[in-house]
Amino acid sequence: MRVEALDHLVLTVADVEASAIFYGRVLGMQKVIFGAGRVALQFGRQKINLHPADAPLQPHALRPTAGSADLCFVSDVGLTDWIRHLSACDVALE
């Protein structure tokens, strides 16, 4: 079992617009709107999705908090196999 690549990063933030402005101004990232008004920061072939802490998008962590992050991976192994593997490694799924 192994992860193939990082698909994208999710940052949970207090203010999506202020965060997009900061990353654009300081690091040159481009704000991108996708889906139903969701916001991402594009740079090269990578992206960071911004999720509001006060209205987290599904699925999300048990307690999404401003300043936290989620990693979203790509794998060529099916989800059922990953669930079995994580269970065998005593990793609880929430």
Side-chain angles (χ1 to χ4, degrees), residues 33-90:
I33 307 295
F34 70 102
R38 296 175 63 188
V39 176
L41 302 167
Q42 188 84 40
F43 56 103
R45 295 184 312 175
Q46 303 299 313
K47 76 170 187 162
I48 299 172
N49 292 355
L50 299 177
H51 288 189
D54 62 351
L57 302 167
Q58 293 289 340
H60 58 75
L62 184 60
R63 292 180 192 87
T65 305
S68 65
D70 299 304
L71 301 171
C72 301
F73 296 111
V74 175
S75 174
D76 61 1
V77 176
L79 187 57
T80 302
D81 292 333
W82 272 108
I83 291 170
R84 264 189 247 125
H85 175 70
L86 293 171
S87 178
C89 293
D90 294 321

Side-chain angles (χ1 to χ4, degrees), residues 19-46:
S19 297
I21 290 169
F22 171 81
Y23 284 100
R25 180 177 61 83
V26 176
L27 298 176
M29 295 180 183
Q30 179 183 2
K31 176 182 170 183
V32 177
I33 307 295
F34 70 102
R38 296 175 63 188
V39 176
L41 302 167
Q42 188 84 40
F43 56 103
R45 295 184 312 175
Q46 303 299 313

